[in-house]
Amino acid sequence: MDLRHLRYFVAVAEELSFTRAAERLHIAQPPLSQQIRQLEDELGVSLLYRTRRHVELTDSGRIYLELARQILRSVEAAAIQAQRAQRGEIGQLAVGFFEHTSYTVLPPILRAYRQRYPMVDVQLRWFPVVDQVDALLRGDIDVSFLRPVFNSEDITSDSLLKEPFVLAVPSDHPFAALETVPFVDCASESFIIYSQKSAPDFHGMIAGMCAAAGFVPKVAAEVAQVYTALGLVSSGAGIAFVPSAVRRVHFEQVVYKTLSGDDARIEVLLGWTQRTPSPLLKAFIDTAKTVVRGMSEPTPRAAG
């Protein structure tokens, strides 16, 4: 028995005519009659009463018709689901992220992805920057936002965003009145600095930027996350370098200022372990890159 037998039988059962069923199936009537007879022989039951002018379902035929319809509907549904999976429209995707992506690039990417692929179950999992690669290698996540702080041949990555640092200062700080802050003017300031253990890329970049400008930053506090740095800036504890995308975040008593005299760029990547990305994964990567390309630079907004 194959699906062709089922389709032929359903056509005859619904038309109650071999002639009309043959026309519907675009085949000749004798082969259709032969296929139905083969089906009955295989099942060992009579599905149809036949006369020269009349076709009628037997009791067995009526039961078999309902089951045959269910099977064909299931096969059609399975084909549709397989096609959706091939297009990356269904499935489950675990996405890793770190702190400041959660309020910068991640929200617009997720909104766009969920609008395009509403049937995909997206699971979000937070990890510190330094733990993202291990989470990928363990299989805890399928794709992750990364900083370039790893060296693993098992990770495939693609650059998503490169952005400069901007300066976060208290709203009553003298820098708040400036349009642009010269980097060298920061030499005498107290800084909220990112720890080398938790944010090695930020720590190293900022140390290099300050060294190139001829000073060592005076550390008021050392933190692990950008949001913590902003909180301390708002308290007046010091100033902080933050990624440009963070300017989208309104924080009381904090003003963001463009820096001049340094062109260092912070990089955000997407990383995954599949050598050839699945359609599901590729759809997420493509959506993320499209969204980031379309993001315009935000206008600096004074807070407080």
Side-chain angles (χ1 to χ4, degrees):
M1 184 195 311
D2 58 31
L3 292 177
R4 180 182 56 182
H5 285 124
L6 296 183
R7 293 190 179 98
Y8 287 1
F9 169 71
V10 169
V12 173
E14 290 177 347
E15 298 293 341
L16 293 178
S17 165
F18 278 88
T19 301
R20 290 194 299 271
E23 292 173 353
R24 169 174 157 182
L25 294 167
H26 305 291
I27 63 173
Q29 183 175 331
L32 174 59
S33 299
Q34 184 180 14
Q35 291 292 325
I36 298 300
R37 181 62 67 189
Q38 288 177 358
L39 175 61
E40 290 178 316
D41 291 343
E42 185 173 347
L43 295 174
V45 299
S46 295
L47 299 173
L48 301 166
Y49 292 122
R50 303 169 179 82
T51 67
R52 293 180 64 85
R53 297 184 178 181
H54 185 67
V55 175
E56 183 179 342
L57 285 166
T58 65
D59 290 339
S60 297
R62 280 189 287 271
I63 293 173
Y64 194 74
L65 174 61
E66 292 306 312
L67 295 175
R69 283 169 169 164
Q70 291 177 22
I71 292 170
L72 292 175
R73 284 194 295 266
S74 296
V75 170
E76 182 179 356
I80 291 172
Q81 293 297 83
Q83 291 163 2
R84 286 176 173 172
Q86 181 63 32
R87 294 192 297 267
E89 296 176 357
I90 59 172
Q92 185 179 87
L93 190 69
V95 179
F97 67 97
F98 54 89
E99 179 254 348
H100 104 255
T101 58
S102 68
Y103 49 86
T104 54
V105 296
L106 181 61
I109 289 171
L110 283 180
R111 282 195 297 270
Y113 183 71
R114 284 174 167 149
Q115 286 173 358
R116 296 178 186 182
Y117 305 99
M119 297 183 68
V120 176
D121 177 18
V122 179
Q123 299 183 350
L124 299 174
R125 297 175 183 171
W126 174 88
F127 295 94
V129 167
V130 292
D131 293 339
Q132 296 287 339
V133 168
D134 287 342
L136 279 169
L137 294 176
R138 290 194 305 267
D140 294 344
I141 46 182
D142 301 304
V143 61
S144 185
F145 294 88
L146 300 173
R147 291 289 191 198
V149 295
F150 64 94
N151 183 19
S152 174
E153 295 180 354
D154 296 319
I155 300 295
T156 301
S157 63
D158 200 347
S159 182
L160 185 64
L161 172 69
K162 290 184 179 180
E163 58 181 334
F165 279 111
V166 295
L167 196 63
V169 303
S171 57
D172 58 357
H173 191 283
F175 286 169
L178 301 178
E179 190 69 26
T180 302
V181 178
F183 197 93
V184 294
D185 289 357
C186 300
S188 61
E189 298 295 326
S190 295
F191 282 89
I192 313 300
I193 295 294
Y194 306 100
S195 72
Q196 186 171 12
K197 179 180 179 181
S198 301
D201 57 330
F202 278 17
H203 183 91
M205 288 181 68
I206 292 170
M209 290 159 55
C210 293
F215 69 92
V216 175
K218 183 170 63 176
V219 179
E222 193 173 84
V223 300
Q225 297 179 339
V226 172
Y227 215 75
T228 307
L230 292 174
L232 293 180
V233 170
S234 72
S235 74
I239 64 177
F241 298 113
V242 299
S244 176
V246 173
R247 291 189 296 181
R248 297 173 176 273
V249 179
H250 174 71
F251 216 104
E252 292 296 328
Q253 307 300 324
V254 174
V255 176
Y256 302 106
K257 292 295 171 179
T258 301
L259 284 161
S260 64
D262 190 271
D263 60 356
R265 295 275 165 169
I266 309 157
E267 189 171 17
V268 177
L269 307 99
L270 278 178
W272 58 93
T273 57
Q274 296 179 16
R275 292 301 180 187
T276 302
S278 66
L280 189 67
L281 179 55
K282 188 176 184 303
F284 182 85
I285 295 167
D286 290 345
T287 300
K289 293 169 75 171
T290 298
V291 169
V292 170
R293 280 198 302 267
M295 290 170 62
S296 59
E297 280 291 319
T299 301
R301 176 182 177 185

